[in-house]
Amino acid sequence: MITDLWYKNAVIYCLSVRTFMDADGDGIGDFAGLERRLDYLQGLGITAIWLMPFQPSPKRDGGYDISDYYGVDPDYGSLGDFVAFTHAAKQRGLRVIIDLVVNHTSDRHRWFQSARSDPDSPYRHWYVWSAERPANADEGMVFPGVQKTTWTYDARAKAYYFHRFFDFQPDLNTANPEVRAEILKIMGFWIELGVSGFRMDAAPFVIAKKGPDVTGEPDEQFDMLRDFREFLQWRKGDAIILAEANILPKQDLDYFGADADRMHMMFNFQVNQATFYALAAGDTRPLIKAIDKTWKRPASAQWATFLRNHDELDLGRLTEKQRQTVFAAFGPDKDMQLYERGIRRRLAPMLQGDPRKIRLAYSLMLTLPGTPVLRYGDEIGMGDDLSLKERDCARTPMQWTGEKNGGFTKSDRPTMPVIGKGPYGYEHVNVAEQRHDKDSLLAWMQSMIRLRKEAPEIGWGAVTALETGEDAVLALRYDWRNNAVLCLHNLAARPIEISLRTGIEPPEGNLLIDLLTGARSEAADGRHLLCLEGYGYHWYRVGGLDALLKRSPA
């Protein structure tokens, strides 16, 4: 089995160029500013940077309405600035993956402008049209409560066009071979400029059949995923696609491919939602079920684990009772909720700013099966601004210092409001202050990221949930190449003592070495008696260093 797949033991950091660092003082983040902060990211310990869309766009949906796939929005710099950034990242051993937003374009894209202007346009069939308003036009909205329809009449085209998302984002007809060929060209272009892969936005919609006569369950064209992967592997052997696909476990292999010939990685939404229920209820049982249903995958495939991202926390896969439990704990006000299914807050305020809960949550995320994905500002516990619309509340600029605008820009007019008031204001929460505090969240996160990279068993190994006798305590053992790591988390506020068997034969199974503290636990009659403080967590090497040296292959 190949054991040098970089993404299997990576730590991915998601950021928006627009809100990360402004170098030229115009109030908008840019690639020159991002390049200045690469040493910070290298010091944090992350191994890959995921960039949200930065191509030219009207920015009516945070840049996910792209008007030119082959450029850099002038607000952020030039293609030359982008290449300088990817080169500088490579020098520091950091990989770059970018958003691949090919389910739809902006309605200002020249393809759509041509398509709507002339029925004989070569781009007419690059989009999805209907002469009459389809009967299901009021179904399938991605943003219920905000989006009104999925079919909109265009007076110039004298036809309705399909848009799974907002009406200014017409869907591409991905069944058209010319469109698929263009998608490959887009991937190839950015690969040549130093990119190591793509996060495919809305993957299930990209491959679903589209049209006025399409009804019922989605009909996905999975061969399209194989085509994308084959092209990518031919152009750059270690490049990857990370799919955003909020699907049920029964479909996992459809996206990974039973022969690992489709997507390299997928976000594990099932585990993500179960994690928040576990944190809200102190009940790990649904999380264990979600892990059991999803962890089995081809050896070269990988899950991406996460807590929060730039979208809402989607709770649509939970039962109604479970969802209400999470709402009550983390988003009780209607203003904190979104699209009738989720929460639009950042993690730190969701957890009431409690350092114990925040560290527990990130320790848990770092030890779930797969590759962890952090969001910019996670490492310092940034907050949100609920006065901003929809998802913008969690997309505020990075807080670097306690100076004006958090050190993000010298402009009096930042591209988005910087959080300047309350406990999450930049005077209280910023990188500069936490860098000088050995007990800060930033210092802790650096240490935990380093430890995560030193435990490849979590990214590569087979996972087993051990019996703890307590619903609030999660025990996951990872086995890989004859080595084992055991991770314990207590989701309750009260201390809990557990009696646990490692499931590994003596003598190795009789010894646990705490990777966080160095403390040792020796089993009595094959059982370890362990005490976890409230919201406590421990990462153990099973068998200790001696066993590791003895059992690892040369």
Side-chain angles (χ1 to χ4, degrees), residues 79 118 141 145 152 179 198 251 311 327 355 369 389 477 496 500 517:
L79 278 173
D118 182 357
M141 276 81 75
T152 293
V179 172
F198 304 89
Q251 283 193 288
D311 290 322
F327 279 146
K389 69 174 185 176
R477 192 191 75 224
I496 296 179
L500 176 140
T517 66

Side-chain angles (χ1 to χ4, degrees), residues 409-430:
T409 181
K410 294 181 180 179
S411 171
D412 291 328
R413 302 182 65 181
T415 183
M416 291 185 69
V418 183
I419 298 177
K421 298 179 180 179
Y424 299 100
Y426 60 78
E427 291 185 355
H428 307 294
V429 178
N430 63 71

Side-chain angles (χ1 to χ4, degrees), residues 112-130:
F112 186 73
Q113 290 300 315
S114 175
R116 66 194 292 252
S117 300
D118 182 357
D120 295 322
S121 164
Y123 297 107
R124 184 72 166 199
H125 297 294
W126 283 40
Y127 295 89
V128 185
W129 301 94
S130 175

Side-chain angles (χ1 to χ4, degrees), residues 109-399:
H109 197 294
R110 64 179 182 85
W111 300 341
F112 186 73
Q113 290 300 315
S114 175
R116 66 194 292 252
S117 300
D118 182 357
D120 295 322
S121 164
Y123 297 107
R124 184 72 166 199
H125 297 294
W126 283 40
Y127 295 89
V128 185
W129 301 94
S130 175
E132 305 294 333
R133 188 174 190 270
N136 61 350
D138 297 329
E139 300 174 4
M141 276 81 75
V142 173
F143 305 123
V146 177
Q147 181 184 359
K148 304 302 182 184
T149 182
T150 55
W151 289 87
T152 293
Y153 185 73
D154 184 79
R156 289 184 66 186
K158 296 182 175 58
Y160 290 84
Y161 65 89
F162 178 67
H163 52 91
R164 178 63 69 181
F165 292 81
F166 293 115
D167 60 3
F168 53 82
Q169 294 168 314
D171 267 39
L172 283 167
N173 178 16
T174 48
N176 184 334
E178 293 181 0
V179 172
R180 294 210 297 271
E182 190 72 25
I183 292 172
L184 299 184
K185 284 176 60 179
I186 293 167
M187 293 167 64
F189 177 83
W190 292 105
I191 285 292
E192 290 300 317
L193 296 185
V195 164
S196 290
F198 304 89
R199 176 262 190 187
M200 180 175 283
D201 184 61
F205 298 142
V206 172
I207 65 173
K209 289 186 177 180
K210 308 173 184 183
D213 299 325
V214 174
T215 58
E217 291 296 314
D219 184 4
E220 294 102 341
Q221 304 160 91
F222 291 108
D223 284 347
M224 199 183 301
L225 300 181
R226 184 180 293 108
D227 293 342
F228 294 155
R229 177 162 181 156
E230 286 179 352
F231 174 84
L232 201 59
Q233 302 303 145
W234 179 257
R235 285 293 183 95
K236 183 178 175 63
D238 63 351
I240 68 161
I241 301 178
L242 165 57
E244 181 202 27
N246 188 353
I247 56 174
L248 292 172
K250 64 183 181 181
Q251 283 193 288
D252 292 347
L253 287 182
D254 291 334
Y255 282 82
F256 284 131
D259 297 322
D261 57 353
R262 295 175 184 172
M263 298 293 91
H264 301 78
M265 299 182 70
M266 283 200 297
F267 287 100
N268 197 331
F269 284 92
Q270 200 80 16
V271 165
N272 172 259
Q273 297 181 40
T275 296
F276 275 93
Y277 174 74
L279 291 170
D283 182 0
T284 65
R285 290 173 297 175
L287 176 56
I288 292 171
K289 289 181 180 178
I291 292 171
D292 183 61
K293 288 180 179 179
T294 59
W295 85 266
K296 294 178 182 178
R297 61 207 185 270
S300 63
Q302 183 68 315
W303 286 112
T305 62
F306 65 105
L307 288 175
R308 292 293 292 111
N309 56 30
H310 54 283
D311 290 322
E312 84 278 11
L313 169 61
D314 188 344
L315 304 173
R317 298 295 184 192
L318 299 180
T319 66
E320 181 61 27
K321 183 177 180 181
Q322 290 172 336
R323 185 161 47 251
Q324 292 306 321
T325 297
V326 179
F327 279 146
F330 302 138
D333 299 339
K334 282 294 181 182
D335 188 43
M336 300 173 178
Q337 301 169 19
L338 194 62
Y339 306 139
E340 303 171 7
R341 65 178 178 234
I343 295 174
R344 68 187 191 114
R345 309 179 74 191
R346 277 238 188 201
L347 184 77
M350 285 172 63
L351 300 180
Q352 297 84 44
D354 187 330
R356 301 174 305 158
K357 294 180 180 179
I358 294 171
R359 297 184 188 201
L360 168 72
Y362 282 118
S363 174
L364 178 59
M365 187 268 284
L366 288 167
T367 57
L368 289 171
T371 293
V373 180
L374 297 168
R375 185 148 180 270
Y376 78 94
D378 280 357
E379 70 273 22
I380 59 173
M382 276 180 55
D384 47 44
D385 182 352
L386 294 175
S387 70
L388 300 176
K389 69 174 185 176
E390 297 179 48
R391 297 169 293 177
D392 284 351
C393 68
R395 298 177 176 182
T396 57
M398 182 68 176
Q399 297 168 194

Side-chain angles (χ1 to χ4, degrees), residues 15-188:
L15 64 87
S16 167
V17 177
R18 176 190 179 195
T19 55
F20 201 63
M21 182 66 202
D22 171 24
D24 60 11
D26 65 354
I28 305 171
D30 44 48
F31 277 108
L34 173 55
E35 186 178 344
R36 292 182 187 178
R37 290 292 182 254
L38 285 176
D39 289 320
Y40 164 77
L41 295 176
Q42 182 185 33
L44 181 60
I46 60 102
T47 58
I49 301 169
W50 157 26
L51 299 180
M52 293 168 62
F54 55 82
Q55 292 88 352
S57 165
K59 303 183 190 67
R60 296 183 66 186
D61 184 25
Y64 283 88
D65 48 333
I66 293 175
S67 57
D68 178 7
Y69 286 101
Y70 297 101
V72 170
D73 194 291
D75 286 344
Y76 311 141
S78 65
L79 278 173
D81 293 325
F82 177 82
V83 173
F85 154 70
T86 58
H87 179 72
K90 183 178 180 181
Q91 287 182 314
R92 291 162 176 80
L94 300 174
R95 294 178 182 267
V96 176
I97 62 176
I98 68 173
D99 261 317
L100 183 65
V101 187
V102 291
N103 175 68
H104 51 261
T105 70
S106 166
D107 59 0
R108 299 186 192 178
H109 197 294
R110 64 179 182 85
W111 300 341
F112 186 73
Q113 290 300 315
S114 175
R116 66 194 292 252
S117 300
D118 182 357
D120 295 322
S121 164
Y123 297 107
R124 184 72 166 199
H125 297 294
W126 283 40
Y127 295 89
V128 185
W129 301 94
S130 175
E132 305 294 333
R133 188 174 190 270
N136 61 350
D138 297 329
E139 300 174 4
M141 276 81 75
V142 173
F143 305 123
V146 177
Q147 181 184 359
K148 304 302 182 184
T149 182
T150 55
W151 289 87
T152 293
Y153 185 73
D154 184 79
R156 289 184 66 186
K158 296 182 175 58
Y160 290 84
Y161 65 89
F162 178 67
H163 52 91
R164 178 63 69 181
F165 292 81
F166 293 115
D167 60 3
F168 53 82
Q169 294 168 314
D171 267 39
L172 283 167
N173 178 16
T174 48
N176 184 334
E178 293 181 0
V179 172
R180 294 210 297 271
E182 190 72 25
I183 292 172
L184 299 184
K185 284 176 60 179
I186 293 167
M187 293 167 64

